[in-house]
Amino acid sequence: MTTSGQPLCILAGAGSGKTRVLTRRIAWRVSEGSAVASHVLALTFTRRAADELSTRLAALGVRDHVAAGTFHAIAYAQLRRRWADAGQRPPTLLDRKTRVLARLLPARRSPSDPGPAELAGEIEWAQARMVSPAGYAEAVAAAGRKPPLPASAVAAVYERYQQEKQRQNLVDFDDLLLECARALETDTAFAATQRWRFRHLFVDEFQDVNPLQFRLLEAWRDGRDDLCVVGDPRQAIYSWNGADPRYLTGFARRFEGATVVHLDDNHRSSPQVVAVANAVLDGIGGHPLRAPGADGPLPTVTAYASDADEGRSVVRALRRRGGSGRWSDLAVLARTHAQLVVFEDLLKAAGIPYRLRGSSAFLDQPAVRDAITGLRRRPREPLSASLPDLDIAAVEAAEGGERGAHLDVLARQARDFLALDPSGSVGSFVAWLTARMAREEPALQGQAVDLATIHAAKGLEWPVVFVVGFEQGLLPIGHATTPEARAEERRLLYVAVTRAERELHFSWAERRTFGAGTMARSASPWLEAVEDAIRTLEHAAAPDGDGWRACVDEGRATLRATAGGRRSPRAGERADPHVLQALRSWRADTARASGVPAFVVFHDTTLAAVAEARPQDRPSLLALPGMGPVKADRYGDALLAVVAASAAVSP
C-alpha cells in the first residue's frame, strides 16, 4: 500500500511496525524522487528511538544523508551552529534542573516536604506547555493539577529558577526547544537556512508531542504540507509530562486535506496476547487490533500471599524459561521502580543475569569517560578527523565485551552528530553528546533478564513478559483519581500487555511490604477484563473428548519449530496423559457441582503443569505456574489426591 497524501497521519497500533513504516516511507519517498535524503528531518522523543531510526535507515541505504534525532538533539545542534556563526559564547547546558533548584529551596523540615526533583517535574510540566511563572497558578487551576506546594509558592520558585539560569548563562533542555522555535520565528536568515535544509518532516510516536515541541515543529514546517507523522493514541502515557495526544487524534481537523491511514495488524504478539490487549481497552475507542500471527499459550493470572512469594515464583519461572541461555527473551514489568527491588535481590541470589533499564549513566562508563577526556584535549579539531580513532578504539576493545560495546555506541553517536553538522568540531560534539545522553542510557546487547517500569518498556518487546503487582493502587496507581488519569493508567496497562510476543503472565499479591510495614492488597479493577478474555480464549480452544491429544501434539510441534528449537520446553509440555485425563475429569465434576464452566476452576495450561510435575505437597503445588494461594487453598487437597491416585496407576 502506498499513498502520495500530504500531510499524512498514520495511526498505527501496537506491534504494527510504526518505525518500520516511517523508515520505509522515507526510503520510498527518496527512491521515487519526491524527497531528497539530505533534506529529510526525522524526529522522535528518546535517544533509543532515534538510534533505532538511524539503524533502520542505514539498512535501507539512506541514513548517511538523513538528519534523525530527538527534538532536543536537533534543536541543540542547530542552535550551536547559530551561536558559532554569530560569534556568541554559547550558554552552558544544565543537564538537571535539580542542580539549580537544590540551592533555591529551603531546608526540608520533614520528609513530606517536596524536594528539588518534585519542583523540577512541575517546572517541566509548565515549560512543556509554554506557561510562564506569572501564568503558572492559572494554568494549574485550569488543568485541575495538584502541585507539591501551593501554586503561588511553585510560581515563586519557578521565577527564581529562571532568573538564576539567566544570571549564570545556563539553558535547560526545554529552553533549547523554546530558543530554537523563537529563532525560527524571528531570525529570517536562520529560518531560511533551517527550512531549506529540512524540507521533508517525519515524526515518530506523535502521540507524545507536547505544545512546545509542536510549536518548534510548526516553525520548521512554516505552513508546508510535507509532513508525515506516525503514532498510536492508545499508547499515550505521558500527559503528566506535557504530552498531548490531541495533536495526533485531531490531525485531520488541524491540517486541511490531510490523509489518515490506519494500521491495525499486530505482527508482534500472538492472538492470545492481542485478545487481552483489546479487552483492556474495550470501550475506550479506536480500532481493535488484529493478530495475523501464530497462536501462543494462554496468558495467566496468579495471586500470591505476599510480594515475596510473588517474587520467588516469578524468578523460578524465569529460570525455567531462560535456563538455555535465552535470558534476553524475558522481562519483568512493574508500575514503579520500587517494585523491582525485590526482583533485583532475588535474581542476584539466583545467579540470573539481569538488566535494570535506564539504571546507569552512559557518560559515566570508564571507557566512555576516558575517550571523552581525550577528545576534550582537542576541541577545535573537526570531528570527522577524530572519528577513525573512535572506530579503531571500538574494534580494539571488542574482545572486552561491555567496554567495546560502549565505545561502539560512542562512535555511532559521533556519526549521528556529523549527519546534523558535517563540519562540526570535537568540542561541539562533546557538548551535544552531553545533552543527548544526560537522561537515558543507550541500549547495549547482552543476555540478561530485563527489569523495567512499564513507562521504560514502551517501544520494547520480549517473547515472555511478566506483569507484576497487578493490584489496586499500582495498576491503576493510587494517585490516578480523575477519569483522565485512570484512562491513561489503562493505556499504560495496554502498553505492558503489548510488549509480549508469545507468553504473558500477570501476578498480584494479597500483602505487600512498603517500607517497614505490610499492607493488605486487592486485585486490580481491570483483572476481571483480563480474566474474561482468557476464559473466552480457553472456551474457544477447549478440545472435546480425546481431541486434547491432537491439541497437545500440535502445541509441541509449534514449540519445537519456534526459534529453531532454542527455547526451553514450556511448563506442561511433558504432561503425563493419564494424570491429565484424571485431572480433567475431576475439573468437570467440580465445575458441575459449582455451577460454573470448567475453565473457571482451572485453565488447561495449569492442569497440564500439574500433570507434568505431579506434586506431592502444597509447596510443590504452589510453585507451579498459574497456581496461586487462593486456588491452592480451595482445590489443593483435591488436586493432590487426584495426582496421587492417578499417578499410582499410570504406566
Side-chain angles (χ1 to χ4, degrees):
M1 174 183 177
T2 60
T3 178
S4 58
Q6 292 181 356
L8 175 63
C9 174
I10 303 170
L11 295 174
S16 61
K18 288 187 290 294
T19 305
R20 181 178 185 272
V21 167
L22 190 72
T23 52
R24 287 180 178 270
R25 175 76 180 176
I26 294 171
W28 178 75
R29 289 278 310 276
V30 170
S31 66
E32 59 96 29
S34 65
V36 178
S38 58
H39 293 294
V40 169
L41 175 59
L43 293 160
T44 187
F45 294 87
T46 68
R47 197 201 60 263
R48 183 177 68 206
D51 288 345
E52 180 68 16
L53 278 177
S54 298
T55 299
R56 296 197 185 199
L57 286 169
L60 294 171
V62 294
R63 175 62 188 95
D64 288 344
H65 304 289
V66 171
T70 66
F71 278 82
H72 293 95
I74 300 294
Y76 192 38
Q78 302 313 311
L79 285 173
R80 288 192 66 86
R81 172 55 54 194
R82 180 172 183 255
W83 293 328
D85 291 344
Q88 178 182 348
R89 183 171 70 89
T92 300
L93 181 66
L94 181 65
D95 60 345
R96 295 181 182 88
K97 288 180 171 64
T98 54
R99 295 185 188 278
V100 171
L101 289 171
R103 299 193 297 269
L104 301 180
L105 296 177
R108 300 174 75 173
R109 288 175 289 183
S110 74
S112 62
D113 288 345
E118 292 172 274
L119 271 297
E122 203 62 24
I123 291 172
E124 287 175 355
W125 176 86
Q127 287 178 308
R129 289 165 171 76
M130 297 174 289
V131 173
S132 67
Y136 173 80
E138 182 179 352
V140 164
R145 189 175 179 87
K146 296 180 180 178
L149 290 173
S152 59
V154 175
V157 173
Y158 184 9
E159 176 65 31
R160 291 171 60 202
Y161 170 74
Q162 297 289 72
Q163 293 171 350
E164 190 66 16
K165 285 191 301 178
Q166 186 174 11
R167 186 183 70 81
Q168 297 186 44
N169 195 29
L170 301 172
V171 292
D172 60 28
F173 284 93
D174 297 301
D175 292 330
L176 298 177
L177 304 184
L178 185 59
E179 181 81 10
C180 193
R182 284 175 174 168
L184 287 165
E185 293 162 356
T186 60
D187 186 334
T188 304
F190 176 69
T193 300
Q194 290 280 291
R195 291 164 185 161
W196 176 86
R197 171 80 191 280
F198 301 136
R199 305 178 198 177
H200 321 294
L201 304 178
F202 296 81
V203 188
D204 197 9
E205 302 287 2
F206 198 64
Q207 76 279 351
D208 294 337
V209 74
N210 66 39
L212 178 54
Q213 290 161 337
F214 187 77
R215 175 178 172 181
L216 176 55
L217 177 66
E218 284 292 85
W220 270 318
R221 190 176 75 91
D222 191 35
R224 296 172 292 181
D225 287 339
D226 201 342
L227 171 66
C228 172
V229 305
V230 181
D232 181 4
R234 291 165 293 187
Q235 295 188 67
I237 58 174
Y238 295 115
S239 66
W240 52 270
N241 201 29
D244 190 343
R246 290 176 296 182
Y247 290 117
L248 176 64
T249 57
F251 191 90
R253 294 188 299 272
R254 186 180 298 273
F255 298 98
E256 185 177 354
T259 298
V260 178
V261 175
H262 292 266
L263 300 179
D264 301 315
D265 283 342
N266 180 311
H267 301 285
R268 170 195 304 150
S269 305
S270 70
Q272 287 75 13
V273 170
V274 168
V276 172
N278 286 333
V280 164
L281 289 190
D282 185 36
I284 283 186
H287 292 202
L289 290 174
R290 297 186 296 261
D295 278 343
L298 286 174
T300 67
V301 178
T302 308
Y304 293 96
S306 69
D307 54 345
D309 292 336
E310 178 188 46
R312 285 190 292 268
S313 181
V314 170
V315 169
R316 283 194 295 267
L318 292 170
R319 179 176 288 286
R320 286 195 298 269
R321 288 161 176 78
S324 61
R326 301 295 302 173
W327 298 113
S328 290
D329 285 355
L330 313 172
V332 177
L333 307 184
R335 178 61 177 85
T336 68
H337 284 287
Q339 293 169 257
L340 299 175
V341 173
V342 171
F343 291 95
E344 281 193 87
D345 293 341
L346 289 170
L347 289 170
K348 283 179 184 176
I352 296 175
Y354 73 90
R355 172 174 42 232
L356 188 60
R357 286 282 174 174
S359 63
S360 61
F362 174 74
L363 296 178
D364 290 337
Q365 299 301 318
V368 177
R369 189 169 59 240
D370 293 344
I372 290 177
T373 298
L375 290 173
R376 282 182 170 139
R377 297 192 183 104
R378 47 185 194 276
R380 299 181 184 278
E381 180 179 301
L383 179 61
S384 57
S386 296
L387 185 56
D389 293 339
L390 291 176
D391 287 332
I392 292 171
V395 171
E396 289 177 345
E399 296 298 325
E402 190 175 64
R403 177 179 174 85
H406 281 121
L407 289 175
D408 180 65
V409 170
L410 182 62
R412 283 193 282 116
Q413 304 308 312
R415 287 191 177 83
D416 286 349
F417 179 78
L418 288 174
L420 297 172
D421 188 358
S423 61
S425 67
V426 168
S428 294
F429 165 66
V430 171
W432 175 84
L433 181 71
T434 301
R436 195 178 194 201
M437 295 292 183
R439 291 187 172 184
E440 53 184 311
E441 180 187 7
L444 299 175
Q445 300 301 314
Q447 283 299 321
V449 174
D450 279 310
L451 304 179
T453 64
I454 302 173
H455 281 100
K458 185 171 175 289
L460 301 174
E461 58 196 59
W462 297 270
V464 182
V465 169
F466 293 82
V467 180
V468 299
F470 192 31
E471 302 158 19
Q472 176 68 49
L474 291 173
L475 273 170
I477 200 73
H479 57 69
T481 56
T482 66
E484 294 79 11
R486 288 180 69 85
E488 181 157 323
E489 289 292 301
R490 250 178 119 169
R491 295 194 297 270
L492 189 63
L493 175 58
Y494 171 85
V495 168
V497 170
T498 54
R499 299 311 93 197
E501 296 174 3
R502 183 169 175 79
E503 286 190 47
L504 175 63
H505 305 282
F506 296 91
S507 60
W508 65 281
E510 296 173 342
R511 298 190 309 277
R512 189 168 293 276
T513 300
F514 294 92
T518 300
M519 294 179 59
R521 310 291 291 171
S522 59
S524 168
W526 301 319
L527 176 66
E528 184 176 355
V530 171
E531 289 195 323
D532 283 348
I534 295 172
R535 289 166 186 158
T536 300
L537 288 166
E538 186 174 37
H539 184 67
D544 297 323
D546 290 337
W548 66 270
R549 294 182 184 275
C551 181
V552 171
D553 289 343
E554 181 182 351
R556 287 175 175 169
T558 300
L559 282 169
R560 283 194 295 269
T562 301
R566 293 174 297 175
R567 296 176 59 81
S568 55
R570 180 162 55 92
E573 183 182 350
R574 301 189 181 94
D576 184 309
H578 299 280
V579 177
L580 183 58
Q581 188 62 39
L583 289 169
R584 286 181 180 277
S585 297
W586 166 82
R587 182 180 64 174
D589 293 341
T590 302
R592 279 194 297 271
S594 303
V596 298
F599 55 79
V600 173
V601 179
F602 276 116
H603 298 312
D604 278 352
T605 51
T606 303
L607 290 187
V610 173
E612 177 180 341
R614 295 198 282 191
Q616 299 179 14
D617 52 35
R618 183 65 64 88
S620 300
L621 190 65
L622 281 168
L624 298 176
M627 183 66 65
V630 175
K631 288 202 172 182
D633 287 343
R634 185 177 301 168
Y635 303 118
D637 292 341
L639 271 179
L640 292 172
V642 172
V643 169
S646 55
V649 299
S650 179

